[in-house]
Amino acid sequence: MKTFRDMPIRRKLMLSILSTSVVVMLLMLGTFFTYEFFALRLGTVRQLSTLGEITADNATAALAFQNQQDADEILHGLKAQRYLVAAAIYDQSGQLFSRYPKTLKTKDLPSAPGDPGYRYGESHLAGFQPMMQKDRRLGTLYLEMDGGAALRDRLLGLFKIALPVMALILLVAYLLAHALEKQISRPILALAETAKDITERQDFSARAEKHGRDEIGQLTDGLNEMLAGIQQRESALDGANDALRVENAERKRGEQALQIAMDDLERKVTERTAELRSAKEQAESSDRLKSEFLANMSHELRTPMNAIIGFTGTLMMKLPGPLTQAQEKQLSTVQSSARHLLSLINDLLDVAKIESGKVELKFEPVSCTSIIEEMAAVLRPLAEKKGLEFQIQLPTEDIVILTDRRALNQIIINLANNAIKFTEVGRIIIAAARRQKSGDTVTELSFSDTGCGIQPEDQNRLFQAFSQLDSSSTRRYEGTGLGLHLSQKLAELLGARITFHSEFGKGSTFTLTIREA
Amino acid sequence: MALLAAHSPGWCWWRLAVLVLLALLGTEVSAQAKVQANVQDYQVEAVYLFNFTQFVEWPSAAFADEQKPIVIGVLGDDPFGAYLDETVRGEIVGNRPLIVRRYRRIEDVEVCQVLFISRSEVEHLEAILGRLKDRSILTVSDADGFTQRGGIVRFVTQNDHVKLRINVEAAKAAGLTISSKLLRVADTVSAEMD
């Protein structure tokens, strides 16, 4: 069963009112019945006493004049008294004179009259009434009444009346409670309903209806005030949210603008890149065309050059006839110029070949020691002729690398030749070494001289084509100006690199660094 | 019999002894018993005479003043003897003491409330009642036809019981108020009856 605490407030109120009514009613009923009980007891005594007085008075003559029949009649007249169980008349001497009912045995009656007055026995009320006539006592009347039965019947009768009255009172109480309960519960229920509604719909603009100025009314006011507070806060929050939303929109707009700008930029970059690429491709294609042209031209140039050099050599050998000293000198100039031209053409041819990608490389194991010694065999005389010291420093163990022999040979000759060419006094040191460099094993071939060195401002364009150090040196040093450029290009093809270190006026060191495959 | 039983046990024992003796003596005894019964009747009647004073109201004119006693008179031969005197001795009814007076002749009757007219005066009954006509005196007698002749109360013996017969009109004429209770236990007659 539900506990009282969990009951709906309506039932609680109903129960309270009804139980109060019932308790009050029961208390009243109890009080009433208790009062009635004692009143009845007293009333019964009084009633019996009155009855006794009248009967005693009526029977005095019968007693005085010995009329037993009349006495019997008088006592018989008591039969209307419902609860009277016995009556008797004793004469002056205390002898039983008459009794009622007649069936009553003498031994059931007191043998002699007792003291006047009525008193309750176990359940019977009995007593003696002196029979007086003009202040003289003529005898005694005895009356016995079933007081318990009288009381019981009377209370039962009252109860029979009280029961429907009680039912009526309960009904009225119920109806009243029903009506009154609504006065209390309706505002509470409405309040609860409103609160529930607000909670469910989150509608803080709703207000609870006020029914009166009692505590519930105060509660309603409190709720409404709270709702107003919440609503205010809500609207403030909404405002803040709106501001935030606007801010967000602005930010988004900014982002979009940024995106557009970025897209634009990207497009521009793409366009520019495309332009650059096309420009680059154009440049490259024109460069290639130039190289092809040069390759073809060099080949066409070399054929007549061979004829010039060959026939000049024949003349110089004086095979067709003797030559004058002046003729011999002029022929020598022709030969030297022709050789220079040929070498120029060869270099150009090589450069053009490289740049047009027509160089074919053949990778094979090459011994560094042997290739350097071969080079030294050719160039040592040249250096010694200029009075230079020519040193070769090789490791005890041979270094074998996988590379193109011809290209490597050309680079070595070029670098060694340059060293000799640009050194007037001192020495040339050519060294080979294998060392570890940033995790890789590399072979370094270095060419050091004590020549004029390179000025810092010239170092940037050292590897460019047709760039000898100064115009004055062109005359002093024989060369095409293509040597270093060609060497660097070849080194790149081999996966190697040429670096240099130079101090102007003291000498230079060129290093070929070959990474081993 | 109940009244007889009220007497002392000694007397009862004696009475029984007499009755047994009478039964043994036959008719002689029977006549003796009748005399005894008459004596008993007179004793009862003496008590009744006294009791009348309690059930009858006299007009105030019947008494000289408030303190005067109620007088029970006996006219003629007194059948009660000392018993009547014993009965009323010391009794007070309505603040009045009781006294017994005995009269030989009607002329002797002075102030009196109850007057028993003995059988000895039956011959003079008309004259006696005539004399008492305008006086508030309760006349009582056991003479035959007493109430018819203008007497108020007559004792009638039936089945060993002394009964009352009352002439209400005569009582009214005498200015007496007889209690209805008394009338209840008595036979009431009018002058034409009996």
Side-chain angles (χ1 to χ4, degrees), chain A residues 157-288:
Chain A
L158 278 175
F159 196 68
K160 275 178 189 165
I161 297 168
L163 212 63
V165 168
M166 223 161 78
L168 192 72
I169 287 173
L170 262 181
L171 184 71
V172 170
Y174 176 79
L175 291 176
L176 261 172
H178 200 68
L180 288 173
E181 162 269 313
K182 269 183 186 159
Q183 292 294 314
I184 298 171
S185 72
R186 201 173 43 208
I188 295 175
L189 290 179
L191 199 61
E193 192 61 37
T194 308
K196 197 177 146 202
D197 219 39
I198 289 163
T199 312
E200 273 174 2
R201 291 194 290 123
Q202 296 288 310
D203 176 14
F204 299 110
S205 66
R207 289 289 179 274
E209 195 189 336
K210 194 176 170 184
H211 291 266
R213 276 184 296 178
D214 57 355
E215 288 86 343
I216 297 163
Q218 289 170 18
L219 192 63
T220 310
D221 284 345
L223 181 73
N224 284 340
E225 272 170 37
M226 263 164 60
L227 282 173
I230 291 171
Q231 196 181 5
Q232 214 171 340
R233 217 162 300 165
E234 187 98 330
S235 71
L237 208 63
D238 279 351
N241 269 345
D242 284 348
L244 212 62
R245 207 168 297 135
V246 166
E247 205 169 296
N248 261 347
E250 274 173 10
R251 190 172 300 160
K252 201 162 279 175
R253 249 199 317 278
E255 275 172 9
Q256 277 170 353
L258 198 65
Q259 189 65 44
I260 288 166
M262 272 171 74
D263 286 352
D264 198 37
L265 193 65
E266 209 161 300
R267 203 179 58 247
K268 274 181 185 163
V269 168
T270 312
E271 278 172 12
R272 197 64 47 84
T273 308
E275 277 171 21
L276 281 172
R277 189 175 295 133
S278 79
K280 185 187 162 217
E281 276 168 4
Q282 222 174 325
E284 275 175 356
S285 89
S286 66
D287 198 41
R288 201 159 50 242

Side-chain angles (χ1 to χ4, degrees), chain A residues 54 56-71 73-75 91-97 132-138, chain B residues 2-3 5-7 44 47-58 91-95 161-164 179 181-186:
Chain A
I54 291 166
D57 188 51
N58 273 341
T60 45
L63 192 61
F65 299 101
Q66 298 291 311
N67 195 326
Q68 199 185 345
Q69 196 191 335
D70 189 50
E73 271 172 27
I74 287 169
L75 289 190
D91 65 16
Q92 222 161 358
S93 60
Q95 289 294 315
L96 185 66
F97 179 67
M132 307 294 285
Q133 184 66 35
K134 290 222 174 146
D135 303 330
R136 272 178 46 83
R137 182 167 180 170
L138 298 180
Chain B
L3 191 70
H7 289 103
V44 170
V47 173
Y48 282 10
L49 283 178
F50 166 64
N51 282 348
F52 285 142
T53 62
Q54 295 162 57
F55 293 93
V56 177
E57 295 293 330
W58 281 267
E91 297 287 356
I92 290 172
V93 175
N95 291 328
H161 267 88
V162 179
K163 302 260 179 176
L164 301 176
S179 164
K181 295 187 284 184
L182 176 54
L183 294 177
R184 260 186 67 102
V185 299

